[in-house]
Amino acid sequence: MFDFSINEMLDMQKSLQDKYKGKWEKLSPEAGKHKLLWMIGEIGEVIDIVKKHGDIEASNDVELRKDLVEEMADVLMYYNDVMLCYGISADELKQAYTAKFEKNMTRW
């Protein structure tokens, strides 16, 4: 089975950033908040699909599902841009995610 890793996504985003250097805002901590705002906009597009068409149709209709997944990819692209802006590595994210998971497993 093929897994799509955070490192692969980060590398792809770095390639996009390199390709559009000078056209896109430079990655930096200051740009992080802008990327977060763009990501929220993309999340809104995901929500719009589900809101307009319903959970079941968005999940089962081939064309709607394609749109839903594409918008989710946009969310992840901005998410990875945010990680790059703040210099967050995949290993650092894994450590924080694992710690939060373990905390949540003992919460209730």
Side-chain angles (χ1 to χ4, degrees), residues 34-73:
H34 302 140
K35 301 296 184 182
L36 284 165
L37 290 170
W38 283 108
M39 184 177 70
I40 290 167
E42 295 298 339
I43 292 169
E45 291 184 26
V46 172
I47 293 167
D48 283 345
I49 291 170
V50 174
K51 185 173 68 175
K52 288 178 185 175
H53 302 282
D55 302 326
I56 304 300
E57 191 173 348
S59 183
N60 294 330
D61 180 272
V62 174
E63 286 303 311
L64 281 176
R65 185 176 179 86
K66 180 181 170 189
D67 292 342
L68 180 72
V69 172
E70 182 178 339
E71 295 305 333
M72 291 295 297

Side-chain angles (χ1 to χ4, degrees), residues 17-36:
Q17 291 296 329
D18 288 344
K19 179 177 174 117
Y20 295 106
K21 195 175 202 171
K23 293 183 180 185
W24 287 2
E25 182 177 26
K26 184 180 176 189
L27 295 176
S28 67
E30 295 80 17
K33 66 179 169 254
H34 302 140
K35 301 296 184 182
L36 284 165

Side-chain angles (χ1 to χ4, degrees), residues 64-87:
L64 281 176
R65 185 176 179 86
K66 180 181 170 189
D67 292 342
L68 180 72
V69 172
E70 182 178 339
E71 295 305 333
M72 291 295 297
D74 287 343
V75 171
L76 280 173
M77 288 180 142
Y78 279 109
Y79 182 85
N80 280 281
D81 276 347
V82 171
M83 286 183 63
L84 291 170
C85 283
Y86 293 109

Side-chain angles (χ1 to χ4, degrees), residues 100-108:
K100 188 66 174 190
F101 170 80
E102 289 169 359
K103 182 178 178 181
N104 286 339
M105 288 297 286
T106 61
R107 242 185 188 165
W108 294 283

